[in-house]
Amino acid sequence: METISSIAKRLNVTNGRIYQIIKEIPADKQPKKDAKGKYNFTKESVEAIESYYNIVSSPKTDNESDLVKQLRADLEDAKAEIKAKNNQIDKFQQLLDQQQQLNLSTNRQNEKLLGTTTNNPLSQDDIPLKSDDTDVLKPTEGNYKGVDTKTPKRGLFGWLRR
C-alpha cells in the first residue's frame, strides 16, 4: 500500500507536489479517495504519477545544465576580469613607487641646491628670537580670561557631553 509520503520520498519531492501531480494526471489514472478522504493508490496511479513527474522534470534538468553552463561561463569571465584588475593594480603600484622615488630624488636635489647657495651668513631676519611670545599654545592677555566661553552643544545626544 503506497502513501503520499512514500511516493514523495521516492521521487524526492514534497507531499504538496504529489498532490499537484495527482490533479494534473488524467482522471482515469488518478487514485481514488476512501471514506476518510485518504487516497488509495493502485499500481497504475503510482506509475502515472512517476511518469508524469519524469516527463515534467526532464526538461528541467536540461535547463539546469544550461544554467550551470552559463554560470560557469560567467565565473570564467569574472576570473579573467579579476586577473586584469590585479594586473592594473600591480602596474599602478609600480607607477606609485616610481613617483615616490622621483619625489625623493627631487627633494634631495633641492636640499643640495639650498645647501650650496646659502653660503651667506644668517641675516637678522633668519635668526629666531629667543624671547618670542608668539607661541600659539600660550594664551595671550587679550583673548583669555580664564573662563571657558564655549557654548554647550545641543542636540539629540547633547546630554552625553555634560
Side-chain angles (χ1 to χ4, degrees), residues 7-8 10-14 17-18 21 25 46-61:
I7 296 171
R10 189 170 352 112
L11 296 178
N12 199 20
V13 295
T14 63
R17 181 65 182 132
I18 298 298
I21 292 173
I25 59 176
V46 172
E47 288 175 359
I49 291 171
E50 289 174 351
S51 65
Y52 181 84
Y53 176 74
N54 290 333
I55 291 171
V56 171
S57 64
S58 62
K60 184 177 180 184
T61 57

Side-chain angles (χ1 to χ4, degrees), residues 65-115:
S65 65
D66 291 342
L67 178 64
V68 169
K69 288 177 186 176
Q70 181 64 37
L71 288 174
R72 288 186 187 188
D74 290 345
L75 181 62
E76 292 300 321
D77 291 344
K79 284 181 181 179
E81 188 174 336
I82 289 172
K83 191 173 186 178
K85 297 292 182 187
N86 285 340
N87 289 338
Q88 286 178 349
I89 290 171
D90 291 341
K91 187 172 182 176
F92 286 135
Q93 186 65 41
Q94 290 174 351
L95 290 172
L96 181 62
D97 290 343
Q98 289 176 357
Q99 180 65 33
Q100 288 174 342
Q101 290 174 358
L102 279 172
N103 284 342
L104 182 61
S105 174
T106 304
N107 287 342
R108 286 182 185 162
Q109 288 176 353
N110 288 341
E111 288 174 3
K112 285 181 183 178
L113 287 173
L114 289 174

Side-chain angles (χ1 to χ4, degrees), residues 135-146:
D135 189 4
V136 294
L137 297 176
K138 295 179 183 177
T140 59
E141 292 179 23
N143 67 359
Y144 184 71
K145 297 183 172 100

